Amino acid sequence: MRTLAVRGDAFDRHAVASRRGGIALSLVAFVAASVWTGVRADSAATTTPTPVTLGEKIFRDVSLSASGQMACATCHDPAHAHAQTNSLSVQFGGANSDVPGFRAVPSLRYLNLNVPFFFQSDGTPTGGFTRDGGAKDLVEQARTPLLAAHEMANGDAAGFTARLSQATYADEFRSIFGTNVFADADLTLLAAEYSLSSYELADAGFHPFDSKFDLFLQGQVMLSPQELNGFALFNRPDKGNCAQCHPSTRQDSGAPPVFTDYTYDNLGVPRNPEIPANADPAYFDMGLCGPFRTDLANRQDLCGQFKVPTLRNVATRQVFFHNGYFNNLKDALHFYVQRDTNPEKFYPLDANGVPQKFNDVPPLFARNVNTIEAPYNRHPGEAAALSDDEIDDVIAFLNTLTDGYDPATDSADPARDVPPDEQ
């Protein structure tokens, strides 16, 4: 057992246990203790380095990648709700920026309220970080992008340490984590992961809760009639039924809704030919049961399930679902309500003109696709749960979940054009 002392910080309170395959760190208590309001990290306002200020520098530092062109912020741009800036289904990394990834980039927003992976009493998989929940906390989540061949491509802790030790802020890193920290590559990687997680938890930019919907919850603004109708359709079990997995009410703690219940689902999203790995007909990304997560490989009932994402900032996203198949929010919602009423719109047809539904999982696991909950419980020829006009209303509501709302620029604000003496 050994600990990593951090000058002026609480890192030394977390035991760092040595074990085969590396060093493990549990930040469950740290995550649970964090408050949802957060404190914006401002490196210009402090002269003393902290894990938070170091985390911000690491987050933005392209020199830490094999290509010298990729940082965490490259795929998780703060100006794009900490998500990707393009409409590519997967991003490209590696030493020459030509190695394709396997999944669409998830946003890093609102992970401060996430929990480690566990099974509920009824067996429902819940929590965890990344799309398959394979990382237990933000510390562990940071490891893959730093090392993976299709991302920053450092290969191992030693490769990452060699680059970090040459960073302009290397002395700041030493001042916090010890003069000889770079002599232990595993410890260096762990300290960097901890710094990144500290930054993501402390900086309110990762969880600002300042959307129009947040101001609506606080009674400061009113939603437009279209937004209100979209909100109702979003919640109604006989219509969108979105709130079934994306709860829209305050959490038990009093925190605003994050619009995810942290569970997993298999929606039968069409296979995306734009993902290079899918050129191999034998390759399937099956989420919880592999290929990247291996501890649940024998749970065939979980194959094809991916984590339910937050819908905050969904209107700013450029690709949707784990494989980035859709690059338009309206198309994604059409799939949501017409997958079973009009499958020919989304799936390839066989020689007889029959749609090959659920074609992104092996045939054996098509049985795992959600066909029970509305709106997935309908059949060809039936009316979709939402009409096109109703989809437009739901989209209007989803736009109220975008961070950084400014009432002065909102043409949909019912009070915007009301004379001041009548407001």
Side-chain angles (χ1 to χ4, degrees), residues 23 165 349:
I23 300 175
S165 66
L349 306 180

Side-chain angles (χ1 to χ4, degrees), residues 49-121:
T50 68
V52 174
T53 62
L54 279 179
E56 181 173 11
K57 292 180 178 181
I58 293 170
F59 189 83
R60 299 175 183 274
D61 189 357
V62 296
S63 76
L64 299 181
S65 64
S67 66
Q69 299 177 4
M70 175 177 278
C72 303
T74 303
C75 296
H76 301 284
D77 185 2
H80 290 78
H82 289 93
Q84 66 191 68
T85 61
N86 56 46
S87 59
L88 294 176
S89 298
V90 296
Q91 303 301 299
F92 289 77
N96 299 308
S97 301
D98 59 357
V99 181
F102 300 90
R103 294 171 180 167
V105 174
S107 171
L108 293 182
R109 293 252 171 126
Y110 298 99
L111 293 179
N112 59 313
L113 295 174
N114 200 5
V115 295
F117 183 85
F118 72 101
F119 285 97
Q120 296 183 33
S121 58

Side-chain angles (χ1 to χ4, degrees), residues 305-325:
Q305 290 194 17
F306 291 86
K307 190 178 178 185
V308 174
T310 174
L311 292 186
R312 284 182 174 270
N313 298 294
V314 68
T316 70
R317 300 306 306 273
Q318 299 196 52
V319 296
F320 301 87
F321 300 112
H322 69 277
N323 66 359
Y325 182 84

Side-chain angles (χ1 to χ4, degrees), residues 43-396:
S43 56
T46 179
T47 57
T48 303
T50 68
V52 174
T53 62
L54 279 179
E56 181 173 11
K57 292 180 178 181
I58 293 170
F59 189 83
R60 299 175 183 274
D61 189 357
V62 296
S63 76
L64 299 181
S65 64
S67 66
Q69 299 177 4
M70 175 177 278
C72 303
T74 303
C75 296
H76 301 284
D77 185 2
H80 290 78
H82 289 93
Q84 66 191 68
T85 61
N86 56 46
S87 59
L88 294 176
S89 298
V90 296
Q91 303 301 299
F92 289 77
N96 299 308
S97 301
D98 59 357
V99 181
F102 300 90
R103 294 171 180 167
V105 174
S107 171
L108 293 182
R109 293 252 171 126
Y110 298 99
L111 293 179
N112 59 313
L113 295 174
N114 200 5
V115 295
F117 183 85
F118 72 101
F119 285 97
Q120 296 183 33
S121 58
D122 65 355
T124 301
T126 306
F129 293 73
T130 69
R131 292 192 181 276
D132 59 18
K136 68 176 180 294
D137 52 34
L138 283 170
V139 177
E140 196 169 279
Q141 181 271 330
R143 180 170 297 245
T144 297
L146 293 177
L147 303 185
H150 63 281
E151 298 191 60
M152 296 175 72
N154 283 293
D156 56 21
F160 174 76
T161 298
R163 290 192 169 90
L164 183 58
S165 66
Q166 299 301 311
T168 58
Y169 48 90
D171 285 343
E172 296 177 29
F173 201 83
R174 293 186 184 93
S175 72
I176 294 177
F177 296 109
T179 304
N180 298 318
V181 62
F182 293 123
D184 187 329
D186 288 327
L187 215 53
T188 299
L189 178 60
L190 176 61
E193 293 169 355
Y194 172 75
S195 298
L196 284 168
S197 70
S198 298
Y199 169 53
E200 292 177 55
L201 289 170
D203 192 304
F206 285 95
H207 34 84
F209 290 100
D210 61 355
S211 68
K212 183 176 185 178
F213 185 75
D214 291 305
L215 296 185
F216 169 71
L217 286 182
Q218 298 164 21
Q220 297 184 34
V221 301
M222 187 60 186
L223 300 185
S224 72
Q226 184 182 29
E227 292 164 350
L228 283 171
N229 190 49
F231 186 29
L233 293 168
F234 181 95
N235 288 304
R236 280 178 55 177
D238 63 327
K239 298 300 288 185
N241 198 32
C242 312
Q244 177 73 19
C245 296
H246 303 279
S248 59
T249 56
R250 286 188 179 274
Q251 302 181 66
D252 292 341
S253 65
V258 186
F259 290 89
T260 175
D261 62 2
Y262 305 106
T263 63
Y264 292 74
D265 207 351
N266 184 341
L267 302 185
V269 179
R271 189 170 180 86
N272 189 351
E274 307 248 335
I275 298 177
N278 284 345
D280 178 359
Y283 171 81
F284 292 96
D285 185 354
M286 294 184 288
L288 282 176
C289 77
F292 305 108
R293 183 169 185 169
T294 59
D295 59 319
L296 299 175
N298 294 326
R299 288 292 305 271
Q300 293 189 356
D301 58 314
L302 302 180
C303 289
Q305 290 194 17
F306 291 86
K307 190 178 178 185
V308 174
T310 174
L311 292 186
R312 284 182 174 270
N313 298 294
V314 68
T316 70
R317 300 306 306 273
Q318 299 196 52
V319 296
F320 301 87
F321 300 112
H322 69 277
N323 66 359
Y325 182 84
F326 296 99
N327 57 20
N328 178 286
L329 180 56
K330 191 164 188 175
D331 289 344
L333 286 178
H334 273 128
F335 171 75
Y336 183 65
V337 299
Q338 296 180 2
R339 185 198 74 181
D340 302 291
T341 62
N342 301 91
E344 70 281 355
K345 290 185 175 182
F346 312 105
Y347 299 101
L349 306 180
D350 67 12
N352 297 316
V354 178
Q356 301 302 289
K357 291 180 66 174
F358 315 147
N359 64 330
D360 202 27
V361 292
L364 175 65
F365 300 133
R367 64 191 180 190
N368 294 342
V369 176
N370 187 344
T371 58
I372 298 175
E373 294 177 322
Y376 308 124
N377 57 353
R378 304 203 176 196
H379 303 91
E382 295 181 353
L386 297 173
S387 67
D388 280 357
D389 287 343
E390 289 173 328
I391 285 177
D392 287 340
D393 290 353
V394 171
I395 290 175

